[in-house]
């Protein structure tokens, strides 16, 4: 800022000096008697004479301190230049002009002031609606500050006015300030703040003694009411898409940042657009998505959890130790199903009428000390919001065959033509699990048995041999065998057919009877004869 010294320069004085040139020895000083100079400026004090051709000049201060200036004498004029003006110059300066024996003296008082710059406005922080803030207005390098008055205006409202009327002997430049704390409101948005400062010294020009700084209030509103809208849903099917839009209120309008929360809690920036579209969602895209509204005044965040659902699939059942068990043993049936969210497991048993009977929601279904009635179909289902997946297992509880018996009725040794029953029984298993076989070198023959019995009508010699009965299931096996002996008729000299036996018995009765008839015939002199041979022939 250019510094000027204002000198009141009366036109009358000039006229007077010209007019008096030819008069008696006289001295003049300019400026007259007093000058007010701004610290740092340059001022010149000029002493001039009339009525003397070559006067001599000398300068001094009233209290004989150093001049702190530069003197230039030119003919009838002497100029003392003080540059830059400082506190060392706040004196009365005396100029003495000598012409022969004539000596004349004039004095000028140098007064100082300092008010070089416009006030500065500063704030303790950002201006936020609802948050107290302190505004400071300061003026630097003021002298004399006891003449200073400052004020702060917000719009038309005077917030504070202060006069700095303190007595001090210290000659120094001071920085003075005015502080006001206020809480910005919505109404303050766009208002102006004015800080004015005035140095009350009459001699100074109006333009220089009143200074003003204006600032438009930049009021911020920290982001708030940040909301997310999700379309179509926070729960998604694998492969699906979702569009999320975020909005946040604030001044200036907050910038929107979309991020995803990682497992370690950090945020991974996804987009700086308000609308975030995610396509072809996979299970690992499930998680927390964070929207942040950000402006200079702050940030506000909100979040949404997306769940990518996967319908249950790959439902599997593992059976330990086996799905075919001996009665009395225990079994663990464990079901697993993949899906997101993790499917719930449901164990049920299929009844004879097709209905399903609830058993458990535990993954492992344990049957302790099974019975045959536990045999059947067990159904496991993996279920979540996205669907269900089913798997079945058939459980077979068996008893091991025991107490097997194989017999030939009436005997293991029969004669050709006899009827023989080969009978197999097994105490605890159904007859259908019994297999009767006849062993042979060329291969075994399975016999068509009913109820474990096989009947040989009229045994032939070839029916002789080894018979075997087997009772077998997945949990056990029992075997018995017997050897059937069939004797041929010619091999047996005592062989009588029942018919021959009857004939023999009958003939043994007939022969004596015939003898008696012959005897009586002879005794009665009966005529004719009877041949035993003929009678025998007719009987055979
Ligand atoms: C933001 O959206 C604009 C258009 O709406 C698009 O051109 C730009 O690529 C998007 N930026 C990001 C980071 O997604
Ligand atoms: C069934 O599971 C339980 C617990 O894991 C275990 O103690 C038991 O031995 C298992 N039983 C069978 C038959 O595998
Ligand atoms: C499920 O498992 C828990 C603990 O493992 C057990 O206490 C409960 O009896 C089981 N429920 C059924 C129905 O098996």
């Amino acid at each position: 800022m250019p510094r000027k010294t204002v000198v009141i320069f009366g036109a009358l004085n000039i006229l007077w000096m010209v007019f008096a040139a030819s008069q008696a020895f006289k001295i003049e000083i300019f400026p007259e008697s007093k000058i007010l100079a701004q610290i740092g400026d340059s001022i010149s004090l000029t002493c001039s004479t009339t009525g003397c051709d070559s006067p001599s000049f000398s300068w001094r201060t009233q209290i004989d301190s150093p001049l702190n200036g530069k003197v230039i004498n030119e003919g009838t004029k002497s100029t003392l230049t003080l540059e830059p003006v400082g506190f060392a110059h706040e004196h009365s300066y005396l100029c003495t002009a000598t012409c022969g024996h004539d000596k004349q003296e004039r004095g000028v008082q140098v007064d100082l002031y300092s008010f070089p710059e416009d006030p500065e406005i500063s704030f303790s922080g950002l201006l936020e609606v609802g948050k107290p803030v302190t505004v400071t207005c300061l003026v630097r390098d003021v002298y004399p500050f006891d003449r200073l008055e400052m004020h702060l205006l917000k719009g038309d409202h005077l917030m504070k006015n202060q006069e700095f009327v303190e007595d001090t002997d210290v000659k120094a430049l001071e920085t003075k300030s005015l502080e006001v704390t206020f809480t910005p409101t919505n109404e303050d948005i766009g208002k102006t703040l004015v800080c004015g400062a005035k140095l009350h010294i009459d001699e100074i020009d109006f333009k220089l003694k009143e200074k003003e700084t204006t600032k438009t209030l930049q009021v911020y509103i920290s982001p708030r009411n940040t909301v997310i809208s999700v379309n179509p849903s926070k729960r998604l099917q694998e492969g699906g898409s979702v569009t999320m839009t975020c909005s946040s209120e604030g001044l200036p309008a907050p910038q929107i940042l979309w991020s995803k929360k990682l497992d370690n809690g950090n945020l991974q920036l996804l987009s700086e657009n308000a609308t975030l579209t995610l396509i072809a969602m996979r299970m690992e895209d499930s998680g927390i998505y964070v929207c942040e509204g950000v402006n200079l005044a702050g940030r506000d965040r909100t979040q949404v959890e997306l769940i990518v659902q996967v319908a249950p699939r790959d439902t599997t059942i593992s059976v330990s130790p086996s799905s075919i068990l001996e009665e009395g043993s225990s079994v663990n049936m464990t079901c697993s199903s993949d899906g997101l969210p993790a499917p719930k497991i449901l164990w049920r048993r299929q009844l004879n009428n097709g209905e399903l009977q609830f058993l458990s929601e535990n993954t492992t279904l344990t049957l302790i000390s099974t019975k045959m009635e536990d045999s059947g179909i067990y159904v496991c289902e993996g279920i979540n919001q996205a669907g269900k997946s089913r798997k079945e297992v058939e459980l077979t509880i068996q008893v091991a065959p025991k107490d097997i018996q194989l017999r030939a009725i009436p005997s293991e040794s029969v004669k050709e033509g006899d009827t023989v029953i080969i009978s197999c029984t097994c105490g605890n298993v159904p007859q259908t699990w019994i297999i009767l076989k006849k062993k042979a070198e060329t291969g075994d023959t399975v016999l068509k048995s009913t109820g474990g019995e096989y009947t040989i009508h009229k045994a032939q010699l070839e029916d002789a041999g080894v018979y075997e009965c087997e009772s077998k299931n997945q949990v056990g096996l029992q075997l018995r065998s017997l050897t059937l002996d069939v004797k041929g008729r010619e091999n047996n000299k005592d062989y009588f057919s029942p018919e021959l036996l009857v004939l023999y018995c009958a003939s043994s009765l007939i022969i004596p009877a015939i003898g008696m008839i012959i005897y009586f015939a002879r005794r009665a002199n009966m005529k004719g004869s009877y041949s035993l041979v003929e009678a025998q022939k007719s009987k055979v």
Side-chain angles (χ1 to χ4, degrees):
M1 183 169 171
R3 295 170 187 204
K4 290 179 193 164
T5 302
V6 176
V7 179
I8 302 151
F9 202 110
L12 276 175
N13 288 353
I14 300 171
L15 286 174
W16 191 85
M17 284 167 78
V18 173
F19 178 74
S22 56
Q23 307 294 310
F25 181 52
K26 285 206 173 150
I27 184 169
E28 292 298 328
I29 192 157
F30 181 81
E32 260 188 297
S33 76
K34 212 175 194 186
I35 179 168
L36 181 66
Q38 172 141 246
I39 290 172
D41 281 359
S42 160
I43 55 166
S44 293
L45 307 176
T46 304
C47 203
S48 57
T49 58
T50 50
C52 181
D53 287 343
S54 52
S56 65
F57 293 98
S58 78
W59 289 88
R60 62 185 172 89
T61 65
Q62 220 154 31
I63 53 163
D64 280 335
S65 58
L67 277 180
N68 290 313
K70 200 168 126 195
V71 176
I72 295 172
N73 295 321
E74 279 180 289
T76 60
K77 247 202 296 188
S78 175
T79 303
L80 171 62
T81 302
L82 308 176
E83 184 179 18
V85 176
F87 290 116
H89 300 121
E90 202 170 26
H91 303 294
S92 265
Y93 282 85
L94 287 174
C95 172
T96 307
T98 310
C99 186
H101 297 289
D102 216 347
K103 195 190 250 188
Q104 298 243 3
E105 214 172 47
R106 282 288 185 279
V108 58
Q109 170 72 33
V110 175
D111 284 330
L112 299 177
Y113 81 98
S114 176
F115 188 28
E117 295 184 23
D118 287 338
E120 295 169 22
I121 296 175
S122 63
F123 298 95
S124 61
L126 280 180
L127 272 74
E128 262 187 78
V129 170
K131 279 195 181 171
V133 68
T134 300
V135 54
T136 303
C137 181
L138 64 81
V139 281
R140 298 183 188 278
D141 302 334
V142 181
Y143 181 82
F145 64 81
D146 57 352
R147 304 286 184 87
L148 184 68
E149 183 181 350
M150 289 177 78
H151 68 264
L152 259 172
L153 273 172
K154 187 178 75 180
D156 300 333
H157 169 68
L158 177 66
M159 296 170 93
K160 194 169 184 179
N161 186 78
Q162 190 173 340
E163 291 181 34
F164 295 85
V165 282
E166 306 156 47
D167 274 343
T168 177
D169 295 334
V170 181
K171 280 191 181 183
L173 297 180
E174 297 240 353
T175 294
K176 290 289 169 190
S177 62
L178 198 59
E179 265 188 14
V180 178
T181 296
F182 73 105
T183 302
T185 64
N186 283 322
E187 285 73 49
D188 290 332
I189 296 169
K191 274 192 186 165
T192 52
L193 199 71
V194 178
C195 178
K198 200 181 208 176
L199 201 57
H200 289 288
I201 299 175
D202 295 341
E203 294 90 334
I204 316 176
D205 184 50
F206 163 78
K207 279 181 214 155
L208 297 175
K209 70 182 176 184
E210 271 187 39
K211 292 174 192 281
E212 200 174 81
T213 296
T214 300
K215 220 169 194 177
T216 302
L217 287 179
Q218 179 71 55
V219 179
Y220 291 88
I221 299 173
S222 183
R224 59 189 173 186
N225 298 337
T226 304
V227 287
I228 296 173
S229 71
V230 182
N231 185 31
S233 163
K234 293 184 219 171
R235 288 184 181 275
L236 303 157
Q237 299 293 317
E238 195 177 31
S241 303
V242 65
T243 296
M244 298 189 284
T245 303
C246 182
S247 65
S248 183
E249 294 170 8
L251 192 76
Q255 191 198 353
I256 299 293
L257 301 178
W258 273 107
S259 349
K260 186 176 183 211
K261 202 177 245 179
L262 302 178
D263 290 341
N264 60 13
N266 291 347
L267 292 180
Q268 178 193 17
L269 184 66
L270 297 178
S271 169
E272 297 183 1
N273 276 359
T275 299
L276 176 68
T277 298
L278 302 169
I279 59 167
M281 294 289 278
R282 290 169 300 161
M283 257 165 80
E284 50 270 33
D285 295 324
S286 294
I288 291 170
Y289 289 80
V290 178
C291 168
E292 250 184 331
V294 182
N295 69 13
L296 280 169
R299 44 183 62 211
D300 182 43
R301 69 159 67 165
T302 186
Q303 61 187 43
V304 69
E305 184 172 11
L306 290 186
I307 297 172
V308 181
Q309 298 180 329
V310 179
R313 62 181 180 201
D314 300 336
T315 300
T316 54
I317 296 174
S318 71
V319 182
S320 168
S322 160
S323 63
I324 296 164
L325 299 158
E326 190 172 349
E327 192 177 52
S329 57
S330 298
V331 64
N332 284 337
M333 293 185 280
T334 302
C335 182
S336 71
S337 183
D338 293 338
L340 198 82
K344 201 177 83 172
I345 295 295
L346 177 60
W347 273 106
R348 289 180 295 178
R349 183 178 173 185
Q350 192 167 317
L351 302 178
N352 289 336
N353 61 9
E355 281 179 13
L356 293 169
Q357 174 194 25
F358 171 84
L359 294 177
S360 169
E361 288 184 350
N362 287 353
T363 54
T364 298
L365 179 67
T366 301
L367 302 180
I368 295 163
S369 188
T370 51
K371 297 203 175 57
M372 281 176 78
E373 308 87 83
D374 293 327
S375 298
I377 290 171
Y378 290 79
V379 180
C380 169
E381 259 180 339
I383 302 169
N384 69 14
Q385 292 92 331
K388 47 176 73 176
S389 162
R390 172 179 168 139
K391 182 82 182 172
E392 300 178 354
V393 65
E394 183 169 7
L395 197 64
T396 309
I397 316 293
Q398 297 182 335
V399 288
K402 60 184 178 189
D403 301 335
I404 193 165
Q405 289 187 349
L406 180 62
R407 289 179 300 154
I409 303 164
S411 154
E412 290 181 19
S413 179
V414 297
K415 294 191 191 77
E416 204 175 4
D418 285 357
T419 293
V420 189
I421 297 168
I422 309 291
S423 166
C424 185
T425 58
C426 187
N428 60 344
V429 301
Q431 296 295 349
T432 47
W433 290 353
I434 290 172
I435 299 166
L436 268 176
K437 281 191 263 187
K438 179 153 189 288
K439 307 286 272 186
E441 276 170 18
T442 53
D444 299 349
T445 310
V446 175
L447 306 174
K448 279 187 188 166
S449 63
T450 46
E453 290 192 350
Y454 179 73
T455 306
I456 306 168
H457 299 283
K458 289 188 183 158
Q460 306 292 305
L461 289 178
E462 54 269 29
D463 288 328
V466 176
Y467 287 81
E468 193 179 75
C469 173
E470 182 185 288
S471 179
K472 176 172 141 184
N473 62 19
Q474 280 89 342
V475 296
L477 167 73
Q478 286 219 313
L479 265 183
R480 286 284 181 281
S481 59
L482 59 77
T483 307
L484 183 70
D485 182 22
V486 181
K487 290 193 167 69
R489 229 185 298 184
E490 53 272 38
N491 296 339
N492 187 353
K493 301 232 171 49
D494 301 325
Y495 177 79
F496 287 100
S497 73
E499 293 87 346
L500 278 174
L501 191 64
V502 172
L503 193 64
Y504 176 79
C505 293
S507 60
S508 62
L509 292 170
I510 289 165
I511 290 164
I514 291 169
M516 285 171 73
I517 293 164
I518 293 166
Y519 173 75
F520 286 118
R522 277 180 190 164
R523 294 270 303 238
N525 291 322
M526 282 177 70
K527 290 180 183 168
S529 69
Y530 183 83
S531 165
L532 182 65
V533 175
E534 291 295 332
Q536 274 186 328
K537 274 182 185 170
S538 68
K539 293 271 182 187
V540 175

